[in-house]
Amino acid sequence: MKTLTEFIIQRQSEFPYASGDFTRLLNDIGIAAKIVNREINKAGLGNILGSAGDMNVQGEEQKKLDVFANEHFKAALRNGGQCAAIASEEEEGLIIFDNEISRKAKYVVAMDPLDGSSNIEVNVSIGTIFSIYRRISQDGPACMEDLMQPGNRQVAAGYIIYGSSTMLVYTTGTGVNGFTLDPSVGLFLLSHPQMRIPEGGNIYSINEANYIYFPEGVKEYIKYCQQDDPPTRRPYTTRYIGSLVADFHRNLIRGGIYIYPGTLKQPSGKLRLLYECNPIAFLAEQAGGKASDGFRRILDIKPYELHQRSPLFTGTQSMVETAEGMMQADAGHDEQF
Ligand code: P6P
């Protein structure tokens, strides 16, 4: 089976930036992923579980593994020399690598070092999400402008899912490929070439506890999913892990829709555009699926700040379009919130 490095090098000729820098950048991410994976897999044995005793910029309790993952991805990207700056869920501001080598780096990275960390203590799959852009600024330190690019400017995006097995799934715009970590040799091996989201999915993923706060279009879509209509495989099955990477990965393989909509309490939703919605949207589209905020294509949204949030409807194209239709039909009739 082909290793991640062999795969990237073999396809390097397809990259307009085939200087080897991207290969090294993706490998840096792979190295950090293996280190984080090792800690996650034995989290119950050491002192790495539980709260770090601090809140992140989002006002969410930081877990020790959140901090561990953030530090290791930051170090791998800084030391690798291919990344000029990172935006991280665990960092309030832009982290600029202002050293001689990184100032000349071509890329910047937005990442969620450990998404779904509230699931760590209960041994449920969690993930790392990353999004890679070519910087806009020329030589010298990177700047905010480099991260304020719409998702359609991503050169690559992916995630690592730390589950029953550990996988790295990524795209550079020519399809989605999945690599499974063989811990016995410490290599990611190509196990899922050219992944495609199946049409005709019948799984919907949404936290229905927020039902009364949902916009009418979402309420309508949930009722649609629950109607008895065997020819369209309804009622659908509902699956909600509470870990975006795990819910998306299942839908990528089985087909389905994941929705985190805007609500009365959080009109822009909970998920962050830069390092959750954009990378997932790039993967969804590259696998033949779709991703929007219910109205606009996620990848066309121009960011205005690092941690801005966006509603997310993503997965099997026809399922997303049905949900969008209900959102848009209701949009003009009455206030959404
Ligand atoms: P809720 C995890 O905190 C996360 O950002 C996503 O991974 C997950 O899909 C979502 O939030 C879960 O949020 O409000 O349903 O617990």
Side-chain angles (χ1 to χ4, degrees), residues 132-136 149-156 282 299:
I132 302 173
Y133 291 90
R134 281 180 75 83
R135 57 187 291 191
I136 296 173
Q149 302 184 57
N152 57 38
R153 302 282 298 164
Q154 291 175 96
V155 292
F282 193 13
L299 296 184

Side-chain angles (χ1 to χ4, degrees), residues 37 40-41 123-126 161-167 180-181 183 246 249:
N37 176 66
I40 287 172
N41 284 348
N123 216 0
V124 167
S125 300
I126 50 183
I161 179 168
Y162 311 98
S164 49
S165 67
T166 295
M167 281 188 70
T180 299
L181 180 66
H249 186 74

Side-chain angles (χ1 to χ4, degrees), residues 115-116 207 210 240 242-244 247 258 260 270-272 276:
D115 179 75
N207 186 342
N210 298 320
Y240 192 73
S243 181
L244 171 60
D247 279 314
Y258 170 94
Y260 208 107
K270 174 183 181 183
L271 302 180
R272 286 77 173 182
E276 289 175 318

